[in-house]
Amino acid sequence: MIVRDKPNAFKLLFILRGSVVTLIFGQIAFFTLLGTAVAAAQYYYPVIFPTFTLSPLALLGVALSLFLGFRNNASYERWWEARKQWGQLVIDARSLSRQVTSYVDESAKGGAELQQRMIYLTIAFSHALRHQLRQSDPWSDIEKYLNPEDIAALRKSQNLPDALLRLMGKKLGTCRHKNLLSDFLIQSIDDNITSMATVQAGCERIQSTPLPFAYMLLVQRTAYLYCLILPFGIVGSMGLITPLFCAIIAYTFFGLDALSEELEEPFGLSANDLPLSAISRGIEINLLEILGVIELPAAIQPVKNRLI
Amino acid sequence: MIVRDKPNAFKLLFILRGSVVTLIFGQIAFFTLLGTAVAAAQYYYPVIFPTFTLSPLALLGVALSLFLGFRNNASYERWWEARKQWGQLVIDARSLSRQVTSYVDESAKGGAELQQRMIYLTIAFSHALRHQLRQSDPWSDIEKYLNPEDIAALRKSQNLPDALLRLMGKKLGTCRHKNLLSDFLIQSIDDNITSMATVQAGCERIQSTPLPFAYMLLVQRTAYLYCLILPFGIVGSMGLITPLFCAIIAYTFFGLDALSEELEEPFGLSANDLPLSAISRGIEINLLEILGVIELPAAIQPVKNRLI
Amino acid sequence: MIVRDKPNAFKLLFILRGSVVTLIFGQIAFFTLLGTAVAAAQYYYPVIFPTFTLSPLALLGVALSLFLGFRNNASYERWWEARKQWGQLVIDARSLSRQVTSYVDESAKGGAELQQRMIYLTIAFSHALRHQLRQSDPWSDIEKYLNPEDIAALRKSQNLPDALLRLMGKKLGTCRHKNLLSDFLIQSIDDNITSMATVQAGCERIQSTPLPFAYMLLVQRTAYLYCLILPFGIVGSMGLITPLFCAIIAYTFFGLDALSEELEEPFGLSANDLPLSAISRGIEINLLEILGVIELPAAIQPVKNRLI
Amino acid sequence: MIVRDKPNAFKLLFILRGSVVTLIFGQIAFFTLLGTAVAAAQYYYPVIFPTFTLSPLALLGVALSLFLGFRNNASYERWWEARKQWGQLVIDARSLSRQVTSYVDESAKGGAELQQRMIYLTIAFSHALRHQLRQSDPWSDIEKYLNPEDIAALRKSQNLPDALLRLMGKKLGTCRHKNLLSDFLIQSIDDNITSMATVQAGCERIQSTPLPFAYMLLVQRTAYLYCLILPFGIVGSMGLITPLFCAIIAYTFFGLDALSEELEEPFGLSANDLPLSAISRGIEINLLEILGVIELPAAIQPVKNRLI
Amino acid sequence: MIVRDKPNAFKLLFILRGSVVTLIFGQIAFFTLLGTAVAAAQYYYPVIFPTFTLSPLALLGVALSLFLGFRNNASYERWWEARKQWGQLVIDARSLSRQVTSYVDESAKGGAELQQRMIYLTIAFSHALRHQLRQSDPWSDIEKYLNPEDIAALRKSQNLPDALLRLMGKKLGTCRHKNLLSDFLIQSIDDNITSMATVQAGCERIQSTPLPFAYMLLVQRTAYLYCLILPFGIVGSMGLITPLFCAIIAYTFFGLDALSEELEEPFGLSANDLPLSAISRGIEINLLEILGVIELPAAIQPVKNRLI
């Protein structure tokens, strides 16, 4: 995620970081060259060169903006829903920790250990979910929060975050059989675990179900066809500034397309993706503070305006 | 569902799998021929051939894009809601299994059997729901998870997934009368069953209630009329490239229309439909792992970029 | 609701059932005649006949499509919300029945009678709600599911479905005072009753609150003005095919308008309204099967592609 | 709210009640006069009079329809959300009454009095909320449903509906200390009270937070500028029918604007506002019937097609 | 937030407070000057000056309005969601206070103190959340509502509002161990605390996650390019009124852009931001009244039509 103050109008035109220009440089260059070629051809061979009025392009433009607009909305909604899922995780982690520290009797046998255990597992869950979504290795982040005897079993699991939630459930079940916890408290905590499972499944849904492939084909094919036809339609009225206009139009259409594609998969590491590392570190700091830990890890800061 | 990396710009123009081009080949061909005929007629008999300016078409184009845009949004929302329903099923299956394995005392008489029974029935439900939605035969997938004495009764039921949920309820009721389960636990598990019933009824709703038929008529009639009029409107300015433009316009409008139609019924087996087999197999693997089963079935993999 | 397979392209243009063409035949005919008159006048008196370019119409067209698009979206959302309400009723009816048959002890005194009573009242509710929304007489459908002593009181009620829900509540209350049901079960069942009350009030809201009347005026007045001006704007460029184009434009605008009007009140009996009879019969069959009834009523089938 | 059958096409053009024409008569008249002046000036001094083509207006028209469309959607959503809040109040009132009459033992000491008290306070709440939102005096409607000793305290309260809900809570608390009600029942009823508090706060939110003022400025300024420029842009092609067209365009843009403004504040007494009096009277009738009252107040009927 | 009656049409054009004109004065001035320069150049050197028809601009205009419309919708939704979060806080604060005063026995030892403590902490939370979101110092507002012994610990916390909620939980936990509160009551109150935590995390989400930076770049770059090209496109047909039209178009596009930017961060102190001070003061007054305090603080009034 890009975090920066608004630049002034002049700087704004030349910012590259966080911009999608770098991703679509090829398209812009290609269509600028095409525009140049068409303008040159029309300049030297005006009689035999095929041109036409712009109106048919407007018909195609309506369809193209329909496609781009739809895809952009759908991608942004995926991105924002993903952010909401992680916002829900923050709520669940805080609520579970508050309930555990408020209602479990620290002085009872096993009370303090239960508090620490549940909060540690919650921290581990938030890191494990991030690594699952980014397909990276979670163990350096979570090992310190796990009991050694659990690690072996967890390493075998096909779905680590889900296994961590089940471990929390098991712990609760054990305490229940020992009458350490009342049913009322178990139900409240279990609701939070279910809510974390909902967050996980929601993120998995977004990750495993891209927008239907056919939309991408429809949008991109129409955009390419549109930009291929464009110079022939405008060269008659714009003459030698045709290449400039081709570049601008290619920038707007392919720019929105590239941004939609980035937002469609919001869990990655590209410039406009969600700062999952910062959020899960934030949960870690928050929960360790609740446990009374003094030396807290540092919050993740943006590097060159970018938060990961 | 099509699962593939983004192809490069050149390949992109020629991909057929997952594209809707194959579905609308007839329309594209027809309107290309029409465009050719019109262009030829105008070339040979320019004086007597009726042409007109493009502006009236723009009026019709606004209405057409309104219809197409609406229908596409509504269809996509149906598709995404269906995906959310199945995502909810994943959550319910995991939560029910976690609760059963955490809070039911395995050492109590009937405890282990109750755990297995509830989890098996949940697996059976997810397969049965898929087969109900795809109108295929469920028995090979679910028989191994059912008690022989239940199968006969289930075969008579008019709504198999619902009967499986009632079987789960009955089992819970029996345990309650035996005081094997506390009311607290029954309520939690019953909430999950109700949630699975909600998923089922939501999927049935989407399946049994298509978009109002009149929308389809309105969209298709307007699209046909538009494309029939189109060549007469553009032949004056585009001359011999009229057929090319007719083909492109027909591709965009009928392409979006065909895609909307595929997404409107998201449970089928066409290229852009939901991968229900993969999701229900995923639930099966997940739940068997929770039960401690070692030899898990294999996850379903995409075949030629397509996941069913 | 119209239920039919997709017709081929040729048939599609001539389908009347489920189409809105029959509703707007008057408007299409009128504007075709107007177009003919204008075209004839311009043909015979080209000099003195007032015509103008099409551009001003485009300005008005933008406003008109804004109005039509908004009204269509709002109407469709009402229709789909209504369908969701009835989908929720299916869920509530099934869940209540499952809970009653699972957790009420059939062998206890009054247990079997309680099960049947609650399920019968649920069936009666779904029929009564349909008849309330369609303002038809419910008694032939529900009498067989009611105790004779209740019928007299119910006939006096100003709101039959609500009175049925209260009857269910009363029955639960009586059982509670007799300790036949635990508070846990009463709460679960009462939640279902509240959810059915929510469905009823949601349907009443949709029925009693049409879209603001001023929208209808704004849409229709603009559409009429637009179509009245249209022939004068296109006759200059289209000449004798003006009437054809007038007919097509009138079809698209008044067609969408008529469809919006049908969907706005989704509980009626017109072609695109919701199949409430089929849904409530479905609930009846489902619940009787749960009670173990062998001879079930037949599901309602579409008649001439139409399900009511 | 306007309640009437659809008028025929001819009448439709001349209906004033419920139309926004009366609100924007000034604007329509002004721009018609402006159009007349411009047309006359161009007729008599065609050479020196400044005119231009229509295309620049189209650019502005896109922005204007963007603003109008957005504002209309936002206002309609406020109106519909307000209606849903009152629909929720109907549900809460009915559910609370059903629970109180079902589960409170009438034969116990204070039971019948508790039932009547809770239902009376619910009726008083619905009237008080309406009067709060319309800033009118509530006492004539609610006095008969209150205990004389409470009235003095309530008159001092700064927020009457909220004070009524607290009174309900207090009553429940008293009964609880006397063990007249079980915790289960208190929880159910308290959930209904919380839901009524949610309705109230939702209505207060809509009332106290108008759409950002800057939207109104942006929409209105652009609409005025557009209509001021309009006649100069169309007089070249439309000549003497310019005033007619100016009137039509002003009607569509200012009409939508005026309607949006009415719907934005849905609790008032203008023609398209919500019929709060009818809804709260409906709650009153419904709840008195539940209490067994025979002589019910009459439902509020539309006067000249208008329901308040 | 701007609170004022609707001005008349003439005044409307010259209002500055709450308008975004002041924010975009630079852009309007620049593009007016550019328009003047272009018009002058074309007036004196009509032959060599490059102009072109307007149609290519229309293509770009479609893309620009797509971007502006999307960004405006997304920003408004953030603003309105933020308002809903604070509306939810009003509900939670009232409900918690009602429950505490209704169900906690004042006459029991510690009962009255518990009531006051919970309500004071709720007031402190609402002030602390506002100060967190506006990054201002909370202590003058909240110190009077805190126990001296808690202040030191709270001052060390990295997240004050969250620490206040945990303090409420701790207090409940203590009372539970003393059997002052039943589990039923604790659960109800804890639900309210969780809901307040949800409000806080929702506000943090909106504040910490701006719209993707690339949207801002895309919108602004396209708007600048559009306005730079504009005078060359319209000077041919509009001549010397080109600067006026440039100013109007710059006003509409940059105006909407500036408003979107204000609404995107709804918690600040700019003219169209949310009146958090007024809302949290409202909660304070409401809750003190519930506690029976006579001398209530004054509600915050708009200053020069502006409520903060």
Side-chain angles (χ1 to χ4, degrees), chain D residues 39-291:
Chain D
Q42 198 252 8
Y43 189 78
Y44 292 110
Y45 310 98
V47 183
I48 63 161
F49 191 79
T51 64
F52 50 86
T53 68
L54 200 54
S55 304
L57 267 178
L59 300 182
L60 196 54
V62 168
L64 182 54
S65 62
L66 192 72
F67 298 169
L68 279 170
F70 164 75
R71 194 184 177 208
N72 177 49
N73 279 332
S75 293
Y76 173 72
E77 273 169 33
R78 288 166 64 91
W79 180 85
W80 193 229
E81 194 208 333
R83 182 60 187 86
K84 281 187 178 170
Q85 297 282 9
W86 276 80
Q88 184 60 41
L89 183 56
V90 172
I91 298 165
D92 296 330
R94 286 183 187 167
S95 295
L96 188 148
S97 306
R98 191 189 68 243
Q99 290 176 346
V100 168
T101 49
S102 299
Y103 308 133
V104 172
D105 193 351
E106 282 169 290
S107 56
K109 195 190 154 223
E113 188 260 338
L114 176 64
Q115 290 182 353
Q116 196 203 51
R117 190 79 196 285
M118 296 302 288
I119 290 178
Y120 272 18
L121 284 171
T122 306
I123 297 175
F125 174 81
S126 75
H127 284 304
L129 181 57
R130 182 187 85 235
H131 285 291
Q132 185 197 33
L133 295 171
R134 290 188 168 163
Q135 292 163 330
S136 50
D137 182 83
W139 292 100
S140 62
D141 274 333
I142 70 172
E143 220 155 7
K144 58 192 153 193
Y145 295 115
L146 298 175
N147 282 5
E149 64 266 28
D150 292 333
I151 292 180
L154 288 170
R155 276 190 182 272
K156 277 187 219 132
S157 168
Q158 301 208 354
N159 189 328
L160 181 60
D162 187 47
L164 287 167
L165 295 182
R166 288 204 306 277
L167 212 59
M168 296 172 82
K170 280 277 178 200
K171 183 73 190 166
L172 287 183
T174 319
C175 293
R176 181 165 176 260
H177 299 314
K178 289 187 198 162
N179 286 315
L180 191 65
L181 292 174
S182 71
D183 274 6
F184 138 75
L185 186 51
I186 287 189
Q187 192 163 25
S188 285
I189 299 177
D190 199 80
D191 283 354
N192 281 314
I193 297 178
T194 301
S195 180
M196 287 194 276
T198 303
V199 168
Q200 185 194 353
C203 291
E204 288 174 1
R205 166 169 50 80
I206 292 173
Q207 194 188 35
S208 71
T209 314
L211 280 183
F213 185 67
Y215 278 121
M216 201 269 276
L217 287 181
L218 213 49
V219 170
Q220 294 238 335
R221 284 176 179 170
T222 310
Y224 276 107
L225 290 170
Y226 184 92
C227 287
L228 284 172
I229 297 175
L230 180 66
F232 301 93
I234 61 175
V235 74
S237 76
M238 303 194 95
L240 292 180
I241 55 170
T242 296
L244 175 67
F245 205 78
C246 287
I248 292 175
I249 292 283
Y251 167 67
T252 58
F253 286 161
F254 286 99
L256 186 58
D257 180 65
L259 180 51
S260 299
E261 209 162 296
E262 260 193 29
L263 297 183
E264 191 188 327
E265 302 294 346
F267 300 120
L269 287 165
S270 55
N272 292 293
D273 284 343
L274 293 172
L276 301 191
S277 300
I279 299 174
S280 49
R281 177 68 63 85
I283 292 174
E284 188 175 6
I285 295 171
N286 212 159
L287 267 58
L288 290 177
E289 189 190 323
I290 294 177
L291 268 182

Side-chain angles (χ1 to χ4, degrees), chain A residues 215-229:
Chain A
Y215 278 120
M216 202 269 274
L217 287 180
L218 212 49
V219 171
Q220 295 238 334
R221 284 175 179 171
T222 309
Y224 276 107
L225 290 170
Y226 184 91
C227 288
L228 284 172
I229 296 175

Side-chain angles (χ1 to χ4, degrees), chain E residues 4-170:
Chain E
R4 58 174 296 168
D5 291 335
K6 201 190 155 181
N8 66 39
F10 189 73
K11 272 193 191 162
L12 190 116
L13 295 177
F14 298 100
I15 288 176
L16 285 183
R17 186 166 301 122
S19 165
V20 290
V21 165
T22 47
L23 300 173
I24 57 168
F25 186 77
Q27 281 97 331
I28 295 177
F30 175 78
F31 288 111
T32 309
L33 286 176
L34 178 69
T36 311
V38 167
Q42 197 251 11
Y43 189 78
Y44 291 110
Y45 310 98
V47 183
I48 63 160
F49 192 77
T51 64
F52 49 86
T53 68
L54 198 55
S55 305
L57 268 178
L59 299 181
L60 197 53
V62 168
L64 182 53
S65 62
L66 192 72
F67 298 170
L68 279 170
F70 165 75
R71 195 183 177 211
N72 177 49
N73 279 331
S75 294
Y76 173 72
E77 274 170 33
R78 289 167 63 91
W79 180 85
W80 191 231
E81 193 207 332
R83 182 60 187 85
K84 281 187 180 171
Q85 297 282 8
W86 277 79
Q88 184 61 41
L89 183 55
V90 172
I91 298 166
D92 296 331
R94 287 182 187 167
S95 295
L96 188 148
S97 305
R98 191 190 66 244
Q99 291 175 347
V100 169
T101 48
S102 299
Y103 307 133
V104 172
D105 192 352
E106 281 170 293
S107 55
K109 196 190 154 221
E113 189 259 337
L114 175 64
Q115 291 182 353
Q116 197 202 51
R117 190 79 197 283
M118 295 302 289
I119 290 178
Y120 271 19
L121 285 170
T122 306
I123 297 175
F125 174 80
S126 75
H127 284 304
L129 181 57
R130 181 187 85 236
H131 285 292
Q132 184 197 34
L133 295 172
R134 290 187 168 163
Q135 292 164 331
S136 51
D137 182 82
W139 292 100
S140 62
D141 274 333
I142 70 172
E143 220 154 8
K144 59 191 153 192
Y145 295 114
L146 299 175
N147 282 3
E149 64 266 26
D150 293 332
I151 291 179
L154 288 170
R155 278 190 180 272
K156 278 187 217 132
S157 168
Q158 301 209 353
N159 188 330
L160 180 60
D162 187 46
L164 288 167
L165 294 183
R166 287 206 304 278
L167 212 58
M168 295 172 84
K170 280 276 178 201

